Amino acid sequence: MSPNARLIAFYLPQFHPIPENDEWWGKGFTEWTNVAKAKPLFKGHYQPRLPADLGFYDLRVPEVREAQAELARNAGIEGFCYYHYWFGGGKRLLERPFNEVVASGKPDFPFCLCWANQTWSGIWHGEPGRTLMEQTYPGPEDHREHFFSLLNAFLDKRYVRINGRPIFMIFRPAELPDVSAFIQQWQGLAVENGLPSLHFIAHMFSEDPAWDYKAAGFDSCVVEGARRAFAIRARDLFLGVGSNGSGHRRVATRDTTASRFREWLWRRSRATLGQFSNVRLYSHAFPFMLQGCSDKPGVFPCVIPNWDNTPRSGTRGWVLHESTPELFGMHLREALTLVRSRAPDERLVFIKAWNEWAEGNYLEPDRKFGNDYLRVVREEVGTVEIKMESPTGIYAHKIG
């Protein structure tokens, strides 16, 4: 664990074929299918984004999971937060990589879960009316089955805990009917099965209406601000100021007002001509992406190395343009200041994400930046002991 923070990276288990994706999108589909076919939509647009050290991996391969853990550990990341899909009635998707991690005991690297309780639709593929897999909530008996499907993970010594309690995040907490009863039921089951209780985290977006997560039974929340980057008021953009999460206003970057105006004019002219214009400069956006966070205990910041979901959705997507490791380092540094005064066990900072390649938010090495984003993470959290080589041989060069 870093003395400065406990970094937890969201982890997408989409990189292996499943029968449902074969049916919906064609035989052999994985997230790499979208990544590899991506095209630049404007001059200087960084696409396609292609992996370097780990290649186009398959998460069914244990050596791949070991190599990922080695990279993350060496960068000072404490653990992965796996997206977990339970649609009700026992229906799960993409569960194989995590199940194999738990069953095999490898890699020896901490993990936790975020229940991504959303209906899968075709919205990002231009088919908003197409339902692929509906999220349902059959009731208490289904909640009980859900809990016991995860009990072995909660009991695992690798599971990420806060003050001894395994954490469990809910992605859309307000969409879970009677969420207070759900939490109460799971807390009872946890105690009955040898756990001190669970630490529930509500995943929230900075632009969402105010919602009292404490009253609903949650212990804490994580605030994600990616969408905020695309809703910056023109006045704040031109002034170059944002809120650092604890309410203080300050100059965001060295960009001049003239450069901000040029970027705004470029977008406006492209929109007028019917060209792709859903673009913000990362340097303009990141100072706004911690809005909604605070330095109060129980509110965990979420940092974002980049965003570009055009590989999935083409011209319906959104792009944060010209992210660099150095700019991300500034963003991460700001988040670290929000947690540094807390008790060590409560200094969590989430990173979105470890491997969301088709959304452009990933830390894994790519062919443009190599390991530079991981190097910046290591430098900011103050990790000093770096292993020189991976025993798996999956990736070639060292970090740093």
Side-chain angles (χ1 to χ4, degrees):
M1 184 187 303
S2 163
N4 295 328
R6 304 178 64 187
L7 299 187
I8 308 296
F10 288 107
Y11 183 105
L12 181 70
Q14 177 82 291
F15 298 92
H16 68 290
I18 60 172
E20 291 84 356
N21 275 335
D22 285 349
E23 177 184 347
W24 298 328
W25 309 115
K27 188 72 173 175
F29 175 91
T30 73
E31 197 77 330
W32 295 126
T33 307
N34 289 325
V35 171
K37 72 180 183 182
K39 304 291 184 184
L41 299 180
F42 54 90
K43 185 178 180 180
H45 183 199
Y46 176 30
Q47 286 294 352
R49 295 168 173 268
L50 301 177
D53 301 27
L54 297 173
F56 294 98
Y57 54 73
D58 185 327
L59 289 179
R60 297 173 298 182
V61 178
E63 291 83 357
V64 168
R65 303 193 296 260
E66 290 279 3
Q68 289 176 316
E70 187 81 358
L71 280 171
R73 182 185 297 110
N74 287 348
I77 294 169
E78 179 179 329
F80 291 143
C81 184
Y82 288 78
Y83 286 119
H84 159 68
Y85 304 92
W86 177 279
F87 293 92
K91 180 60 181 178
R92 286 173 277 187
L93 290 178
L94 303 176
E95 73 277 12
R96 176 172 172 176
F98 181 73
N99 285 352
E100 292 184 354
V101 167
V102 174
S104 69
K106 298 179 180 179
D108 186 12
F109 187 69
F111 55 75
C112 57
L113 292 168
C114 173
W115 180 17
N117 58 320
Q118 281 186 301
T119 291
W120 284 16
S121 74
I123 186 169
W124 289 116
H125 301 271
E127 302 178 57
R130 182 184 181 190
T131 297
L132 304 174
M133 184 65 64
E134 183 180 3
Q135 178 67 60
T136 65
Y137 306 97
E141 189 55 40
D142 185 70
H143 296 332
R144 178 181 175 85
E145 182 184 354
H146 188 184
F147 174 86
F148 281 105
S149 75
L150 300 177
L151 180 58
N152 285 341
F154 293 148
L155 292 170
D156 195 293
K157 65 182 178 63
R158 295 167 292 171
Y159 203 97
V160 176
R161 290 166 167 78
I162 296 177
N163 298 320
R165 301 163 63 202
I167 70 174
F168 187 75
M169 186 183 300
I170 300 179
F171 188 73
R172 287 289 192 179
E175 294 182 11
L176 175 55
D178 202 355
V179 63
S180 298
F182 169 85
I183 290 175
Q184 185 176 11
Q185 181 184 6
W186 271 39
Q187 294 291 35
L189 291 170
V191 172
E192 290 173 8
N193 287 276
L195 295 166
S197 69
L198 299 174
H199 183 109
F200 279 92
I201 302 178
H203 177 282
M204 302 173 71
F205 293 98
S206 60
E207 73 278 10
D208 285 346
W211 187 69
D212 190 346
Y213 65 91
K214 291 273 190 182
F218 288 88
D219 299 279
S220 58
C221 71
V222 59
V223 181
E224 180 189 325
R227 299 179 185 182
R228 175 69 66 183
F230 301 104
I232 305 169
R233 296 183 303 172
R235 174 183 176 276
D236 285 345
L237 177 65
F238 291 137
L239 289 176
V241 297
S243 171
N244 71 355
S246 48
H248 303 296
R249 307 286 286 182
R250 55 39 177 150
V251 175
T253 68
R254 295 188 182 93
D255 293 334
T256 64
T257 300
S259 74
R260 294 168 186 278
F261 179 74
R262 285 194 299 272
E263 189 261 345
W264 175 83
L265 188 63
W266 176 85
R267 286 190 288 107
R268 188 180 181 91
S269 63
R270 288 183 64 88
T272 301
L273 295 172
Q275 299 172 335
F276 180 76
S277 60
N278 299 338
V279 183
R280 298 290 187 276
L281 289 178
Y282 187 90
S283 60
H284 294 175
F286 84 80
F288 299 87
M289 292 195 294
L290 290 177
Q291 288 186 350
C293 298
S294 79
D295 53 7
K296 296 178 180 178
V299 180
F300 302 126
C302 179
V303 293
I304 302 163
N306 203 5
W307 180 273
D308 183 348
N309 64 343
T310 59
R312 284 182 182 166
S313 45
T315 56
R316 295 176 299 277
W318 293 85
V319 177
L320 286 182
H321 187 41
E322 295 184 344
S323 169
T324 67
E326 291 70 28
L327 289 172
F328 173 61
M330 295 171 63
H331 181 35
L332 175 58
R333 193 176 312 140
E334 188 176 6
L336 294 176
T337 66
L338 295 176
V339 302
R340 65 185 176 189
S341 63
R342 302 178 189 178
D345 217 36
E346 299 173 5
R347 295 176 187 165
L348 273 70
V349 174
F350 287 86
I351 303 174
K352 182 178 172 63
W354 175 257
N355 63 339
E356 285 262 20
W357 283 85
E359 289 186 351
N361 55 87
Y362 56 87
L363 291 177
E364 291 178 328
D366 70 9
R367 297 186 190 179
K368 180 176 181 178
F369 293 105
N371 291 285
D372 285 351
Y373 280 88
L374 292 170
R375 172 185 55 79
V376 164
V377 172
R378 186 190 71 213
E379 291 171 353
E380 292 299 332
V381 297
T383 304
V384 294
E385 183 179 355
I386 304 298
K387 296 182 180 179
M388 298 299 292
E389 301 260 355
S390 165
T392 65
I394 286 241
Y395 54 94
H397 51 279
K398 301 177 285 291
I399 303 174

